[in-house]
Structure formats: C-alpha cells, structure tokens
Amino acid sequence: MSTPETSRYVRLRVELVLELTDSAAVTRAALDRIGGDSAMADDERAYTVRAVTEDTAEALAFLVDPPDLVDDVPGVDLLQASWSSEEIDYDPDSPEWGPDEDDVVAADGEVDDGDGGRS
C-alpha cells in the first residue's frame, strides 16, 4: 500500500498508566541496572542514582525502554524516541480515565481498542 502519496513516517503514541505496588522494588531494580552498566560515565551514574532514588517515576522511566516495543517488528526502523514518567492522580471511576473516542466498550464491559485488543 506504499504510494508516493503515502507518508513512510508514522508517529505511534503509547500511554500507559501503571500502579506502583512496590516503589522500593522499582528503585532497587533501577539501581541494580545502573550499577551493572559499565559504559555509564561516573558523573552520569551519580546523577542517575540521585534521580531514581529521589523519584520512583524516574526509576520507572529508567527501567522501561519503549524502543523495545518495535525492535522485532519487520520493516520498521526506529528513527526517534522519547518518553517520560510522572506521578499522577488516578481515579479509575472518573470519566476522565474512561474509554476515549477510539475505544469501543463491549457488552461484557471490556474495552476493545479497535485493533482486537481487549482490556
């Protein structure tokens, strides 16, 4: 379906809301990964240790690597990636956090994202 009128560049947006059930475990995992990274410069290591120790969202952002989502997809070259993590107020009963216009709610109450995914 590739035609001269079709862009070969696609922006894929992914948003996840995660519940931290053990913040200390997340921080420990980030510190373990930092400690095992022999290529990290000492000044970068000190900054990163401080960041992940002070903020669990930073620790999570250090551990999660969104480019891994497309590493094994054939015919795709990742050109640019950025991501961030922040603590948020989340209320699963709030309409703000409900399905959006692209989601379809099935009769059983599960959300169908339109691509066959259910949650």
Side-chain angles (χ1 to χ4, degrees), residues 17-40:
V17 175
L18 306 171
E19 179 181 3
L20 295 176
T21 59
D22 189 344
S23 296
V26 173
T27 301
R28 279 192 308 273
L31 292 171
D32 287 347
R33 183 169 295 171
I34 294 164
D37 187 346
S38 60
M40 188 180 288

PDB file of all heavy atoms in Angstrom, residues 17-40:
ATOM      1  N   VAL A  17      -0.807   3.711  32.088  1.00  0.00           N
ATOM      2  CA  VAL A  17      -0.983   4.115  33.475  1.00  0.00           C
ATOM      3  C   VAL A  17      -0.685   2.874  34.298  1.00  0.00           C
ATOM      4  O   VAL A  17      -1.320   1.843  34.141  1.00  0.00           O
ATOM      5  CB  VAL A  17      -2.418   4.616  33.758  1.00  0.00           C
ATOM      6  CG1 VAL A  17      -2.589   4.922  35.242  1.00  0.00           C
ATOM      7  CG2 VAL A  17      -2.727   5.839  32.916  1.00  0.00           C
ATOM      8  N   LEU A  18       0.340   2.971  35.122  1.00  0.00           N
ATOM      9  CA  LEU A  18       0.798   1.839  35.911  1.00  0.00           C
ATOM     10  C   LEU A  18       0.571   2.100  37.384  1.00  0.00           C
ATOM     11  O   LEU A  18       0.723   3.225  37.847  1.00  0.00           O
ATOM     12  CB  LEU A  18       2.291   1.607  35.668  1.00  0.00           C
ATOM     13  CG  LEU A  18       2.717   1.452  34.212  1.00  0.00           C
ATOM     14  CD1 LEU A  18       4.234   1.451  34.109  1.00  0.00           C
ATOM     15  CD2 LEU A  18       2.142   0.194  33.629  1.00  0.00           C
ATOM     16  N   GLU A  19       0.239   1.056  38.119  1.00  0.00           N
ATOM     17  CA  GLU A  19       0.139   1.164  39.568  1.00  0.00           C
ATOM     18  C   GLU A  19       1.434   0.645  40.169  1.00  0.00           C
ATOM     19  O   GLU A  19       1.852  -0.478  39.886  1.00  0.00           O
ATOM     20  CB  GLU A  19      -1.035   0.339  40.091  1.00  0.00           C
ATOM     21  CG  GLU A  19      -1.173   0.391  41.594  1.00  0.00           C
ATOM     22  CD  GLU A  19      -2.323  -0.442  42.120  1.00  0.00           C
ATOM     23  OE1 GLU A  19      -2.988  -1.123  41.328  1.00  0.00           O
ATOM     24  OE2 GLU A  19      -2.546  -0.393  43.335  1.00  0.00           O
ATOM     25  N   LEU A  20       2.084   1.459  40.958  1.00  0.00           N
ATOM     26  CA  LEU A  20       3.304   1.037  41.645  1.00  0.00           C
ATOM     27  C   LEU A  20       2.895   0.294  42.909  1.00  0.00           C
ATOM     28  O   LEU A  20       2.431   0.894  43.868  1.00  0.00           O
ATOM     29  CB  LEU A  20       4.169   2.239  41.997  1.00  0.00           C
ATOM     30  CG  LEU A  20       4.728   3.026  40.824  1.00  0.00           C
ATOM     31  CD1 LEU A  20       5.487   4.249  41.305  1.00  0.00           C
ATOM     32  CD2 LEU A  20       5.611   2.144  39.966  1.00  0.00           C
ATOM     33  N   THR A  21       3.065  -1.001  42.887  1.00  0.00           N
ATOM     34  CA  THR A  21       2.698  -1.804  44.050  1.00  0.00           C
ATOM     35  C   THR A  21       3.854  -1.968  45.023  1.00  0.00           C
ATOM     36  O   THR A  21       3.639  -2.357  46.169  1.00  0.00           O
ATOM     37  CB  THR A  21       2.197  -3.196  43.609  1.00  0.00           C
ATOM     38  OG1 THR A  21       3.237  -3.843  42.872  1.00  0.00           O
ATOM     39  CG2 THR A  21       0.949  -3.077  42.740  1.00  0.00           C
ATOM     40  N   ASP A  22       5.075  -1.685  44.572  1.00  0.00           N
ATOM     41  CA  ASP A  22       6.256  -1.777  45.432  1.00  0.00           C
ATOM     42  C   ASP A  22       7.306  -0.784  44.930  1.00  0.00           C
ATOM     43  O   ASP A  22       8.176  -1.134  44.137  1.00  0.00           O
ATOM     44  CB  ASP A  22       6.800  -3.197  45.429  1.00  0.00           C
ATOM     45  CG  ASP A  22       7.900  -3.416  46.468  1.00  0.00           C
ATOM     46  OD1 ASP A  22       8.449  -2.421  46.989  1.00  0.00           O
ATOM     47  OD2 ASP A  22       8.203  -4.590  46.751  1.00  0.00           O
ATOM     48  N   SER A  23       7.196   0.455  45.371  1.00  0.00           N
ATOM     49  CA  SER A  23       8.107   1.512  44.924  1.00  0.00           C
ATOM     50  C   SER A  23       9.562   1.184  45.232  1.00  0.00           C
ATOM     51  O   SER A  23      10.454   1.462  44.429  1.00  0.00           O
ATOM     52  CB  SER A  23       7.743   2.846  45.578  1.00  0.00           C
ATOM     53  OG  SER A  23       6.464   3.246  45.169  1.00  0.00           O
ATOM     54  N   ALA A  24       9.799   0.580  46.379  1.00  0.00           N
ATOM     55  CA  ALA A  24      11.172   0.244  46.753  1.00  0.00           C
ATOM     56  C   ALA A  24      11.763  -0.775  45.780  1.00  0.00           C
ATOM     57  O   ALA A  24      12.944  -0.680  45.422  1.00  0.00           O
ATOM     58  CB  ALA A  24      11.213  -0.292  48.182  1.00  0.00           C
ATOM     59  N   ALA A  25      10.970  -1.719  45.323  1.00  0.00           N
ATOM     60  CA  ALA A  25      11.451  -2.722  44.367  1.00  0.00           C
ATOM     61  C   ALA A  25      11.806  -2.069  43.032  1.00  0.00           C
ATOM     62  O   ALA A  25      12.795  -2.443  42.395  1.00  0.00           O
ATOM     63  CB  ALA A  25      10.409  -3.819  44.161  1.00  0.00           C
ATOM     64  N   VAL A  26      11.006  -1.091  42.619  1.00  0.00           N
ATOM     65  CA  VAL A  26      11.288  -0.372  41.373  1.00  0.00           C
ATOM     66  C   VAL A  26      12.610   0.376  41.502  1.00  0.00           C
ATOM     67  O   VAL A  26      13.473   0.310  40.621  1.00  0.00           O
ATOM     68  CB  VAL A  26      10.137   0.602  41.019  1.00  0.00           C
ATOM     69  CG1 VAL A  26      10.506   1.468  39.829  1.00  0.00           C
ATOM     70  CG2 VAL A  26       8.851  -0.165  40.748  1.00  0.00           C
ATOM     71  N   THR A  27      12.793   1.061  42.610  1.00  0.00           N
ATOM     72  CA  THR A  27      14.027   1.812  42.842  1.00  0.00           C
ATOM     73  C   THR A  27      15.237   0.876  42.898  1.00  0.00           C
ATOM     74  O   THR A  27      16.276   1.150  42.286  1.00  0.00           O
ATOM     75  CB  THR A  27      13.922   2.648  44.134  1.00  0.00           C
ATOM     76  OG1 THR A  27      12.824   3.547  44.009  1.00  0.00           O
ATOM     77  CG2 THR A  27      15.199   3.435  44.390  1.00  0.00           C
ATOM     78  N   ARG A  28      15.101  -0.253  43.610  1.00  0.00           N
ATOM     79  CA  ARG A  28      16.204  -1.221  43.687  1.00  0.00           C
ATOM     80  C   ARG A  28      16.565  -1.758  42.302  1.00  0.00           C
ATOM     81  O   ARG A  28      17.748  -1.885  41.969  1.00  0.00           O
ATOM     82  CB  ARG A  28      15.831  -2.388  44.607  1.00  0.00           C
ATOM     83  CG  ARG A  28      16.008  -2.095  46.083  1.00  0.00           C
ATOM     84  CD  ARG A  28      15.906  -3.367  46.933  1.00  0.00           C
ATOM     85  NE  ARG A  28      14.694  -4.152  46.675  1.00  0.00           N
ATOM     86  CZ  ARG A  28      13.520  -3.965  47.266  1.00  0.00           C
ATOM     87  NH1 ARG A  28      13.388  -2.994  48.167  1.00  0.00           N
ATOM     88  NH2 ARG A  28      12.501  -4.736  46.983  1.00  0.00           N
ATOM     89  N   ALA A  29      15.552  -2.060  41.492  1.00  0.00           N
ATOM     90  CA  ALA A  29      15.808  -2.580  40.146  1.00  0.00           C
ATOM     91  C   ALA A  29      16.549  -1.546  39.298  1.00  0.00           C
ATOM     92  O   ALA A  29      17.480  -1.882  38.557  1.00  0.00           O
ATOM     93  CB  ALA A  29      14.501  -2.982  39.473  1.00  0.00           C
ATOM     94  N   ALA A  30      16.158  -0.287  39.418  1.00  0.00           N
ATOM     95  CA  ALA A  30      16.843   0.773  38.670  1.00  0.00           C
ATOM     96  C   ALA A  30      18.281   0.915  39.141  1.00  0.00           C
ATOM     97  O   ALA A  30      19.204   1.028  38.333  1.00  0.00           O
ATOM     98  CB  ALA A  30      16.083   2.096  38.807  1.00  0.00           C
ATOM     99  N   LEU A  31      18.488   0.885  40.449  1.00  0.00           N
ATOM    100  CA  LEU A  31      19.852   0.991  40.989  1.00  0.00           C
ATOM    101  C   LEU A  31      20.714  -0.196  40.568  1.00  0.00           C
ATOM    102  O   LEU A  31      21.892  -0.031  40.250  1.00  0.00           O
ATOM    103  CB  LEU A  31      19.815   1.127  42.509  1.00  0.00           C
ATOM    104  CG  LEU A  31      19.234   2.441  43.041  1.00  0.00           C
ATOM    105  CD1 LEU A  31      19.046   2.371  44.555  1.00  0.00           C
ATOM    106  CD2 LEU A  31      20.097   3.621  42.636  1.00  0.00           C
ATOM    107  N   ASP A  32      20.113  -1.391  40.526  1.00  0.00           N
ATOM    108  CA  ASP A  32      20.850  -2.574  40.065  1.00  0.00           C
ATOM    109  C   ASP A  32      21.267  -2.420  38.609  1.00  0.00           C
ATOM    110  O   ASP A  32      22.391  -2.749  38.228  1.00  0.00           O
ATOM    111  CB  ASP A  32      20.006  -3.844  40.223  1.00  0.00           C
ATOM    112  CG  ASP A  32      19.862  -4.274  41.667  1.00  0.00           C
ATOM    113  OD1 ASP A  32      20.601  -3.756  42.537  1.00  0.00           O
ATOM    114  OD2 ASP A  32      18.987  -5.139  41.928  1.00  0.00           O
ATOM    115  N   ARG A  33      20.363  -1.915  37.778  1.00  0.00           N
ATOM    116  CA  ARG A  33      20.697  -1.736  36.365  1.00  0.00           C
ATOM    117  C   ARG A  33      21.783  -0.676  36.192  1.00  0.00           C
ATOM    118  O   ARG A  33      22.687  -0.833  35.385  1.00  0.00           O
ATOM    119  CB  ARG A  33      19.456  -1.352  35.559  1.00  0.00           C
ATOM    120  CG  ARG A  33      19.810  -1.243  34.078  1.00  0.00           C
ATOM    121  CD  ARG A  33      18.655  -1.124  33.172  1.00  0.00           C
ATOM    122  NE  ARG A  33      17.830  -2.310  33.190  1.00  0.00           N
ATOM    123  CZ  ARG A  33      16.638  -2.372  32.597  1.00  0.00           C
ATOM    124  NH1 ARG A  33      16.165  -1.326  31.963  1.00  0.00           N
ATOM    125  NH2 ARG A  33      15.931  -3.472  32.641  1.00  0.00           N
ATOM    126  N   ILE A  34      21.686   0.401  36.962  1.00  0.00           N
ATOM    127  CA  ILE A  34      22.714   1.451  36.898  1.00  0.00           C
ATOM    128  C   ILE A  34      24.063   0.878  37.315  1.00  0.00           C
ATOM    129  O   ILE A  34      25.078   1.107  36.670  1.00  0.00           O
ATOM    130  CB  ILE A  34      22.324   2.649  37.796  1.00  0.00           C
ATOM    131  CG1 ILE A  34      21.083   3.345  37.249  1.00  0.00           C
ATOM    132  CG2 ILE A  34      23.485   3.627  37.932  1.00  0.00           C
ATOM    133  CD1 ILE A  34      20.411   4.276  38.243  1.00  0.00           C
ATOM    134  N   GLY A  35      24.065   0.106  38.400  1.00  0.00           N
ATOM    135  CA  GLY A  35      25.309  -0.492  38.895  1.00  0.00           C
ATOM    136  C   GLY A  35      25.923  -1.461  37.901  1.00  0.00           C
ATOM    137  O   GLY A  35      27.145  -1.613  37.853  1.00  0.00           O
ATOM    138  N   GLY A  36      25.103  -2.101  37.091  1.00  0.00           N
ATOM    139  CA  GLY A  36      25.608  -3.064  36.119  1.00  0.00           C
ATOM    140  C   GLY A  36      25.975  -2.477  34.774  1.00  0.00           C
ATOM    141  O   GLY A  36      26.450  -3.189  33.889  1.00  0.00           O
ATOM    142  N   ASP A  37      25.767  -1.184  34.606  1.00  0.00           N
ATOM    143  CA  ASP A  37      26.071  -0.534  33.328  1.00  0.00           C
ATOM    144  C   ASP A  37      27.507  -0.034  33.333  1.00  0.00           C
ATOM    145  O   ASP A  37      27.798   1.067  33.803  1.00  0.00           O
ATOM    146  CB  ASP A  37      25.095   0.614  33.091  1.00  0.00           C
ATOM    147  CG  ASP A  37      25.223   1.238  31.716  1.00  0.00           C
ATOM    148  OD1 ASP A  37      26.223   0.971  31.021  1.00  0.00           O
ATOM    149  OD2 ASP A  37      24.317   2.008  31.335  1.00  0.00           O
ATOM    150  N   SER A  38      28.405  -0.842  32.785  1.00  0.00           N
ATOM    151  CA  SER A  38      29.824  -0.484  32.809  1.00  0.00           C
ATOM    152  C   SER A  38      30.164   0.647  31.841  1.00  0.00           C
ATOM    153  O   SER A  38      31.225   1.265  31.950  1.00  0.00           O
ATOM    154  CB  SER A  38      30.678  -1.710  32.481  1.00  0.00           C
ATOM    155  OG  SER A  38      30.353  -2.211  31.191  1.00  0.00           O
ATOM    156  N   ALA A  39      29.259   0.941  30.902  1.00  0.00           N
ATOM    157  CA  ALA A  39      29.523   2.002  29.928  1.00  0.00           C
ATOM    158  C   ALA A  39      29.122   3.386  30.441  1.00  0.00           C
ATOM    159  O   ALA A  39      29.459   4.402  29.830  1.00  0.00           O
ATOM    160  CB  ALA A  39      28.782   1.709  28.621  1.00  0.00           C
ATOM    161  N   MET A  40      28.430   3.442  31.570  1.00  0.00           N
ATOM    162  CA  MET A  40      27.954   4.730  32.095  1.00  0.00           C
ATOM    163  C   MET A  40      29.095   5.478  32.765  1.00  0.00           C
ATOM    164  O   MET A  40      29.811   4.921  33.604  1.00  0.00           O
ATOM    165  CB  MET A  40      26.797   4.507  33.080  1.00  0.00           C
ATOM    166  CG  MET A  40      26.117   5.777  33.520  1.00  0.00           C
ATOM    167  SD  MET A  40      24.736   5.506  34.685  1.00  0.00           S
ATOM    168  CE  MET A  40      23.506   4.798  33.613  1.00  0.00           C
TER     169      MET A  40
END
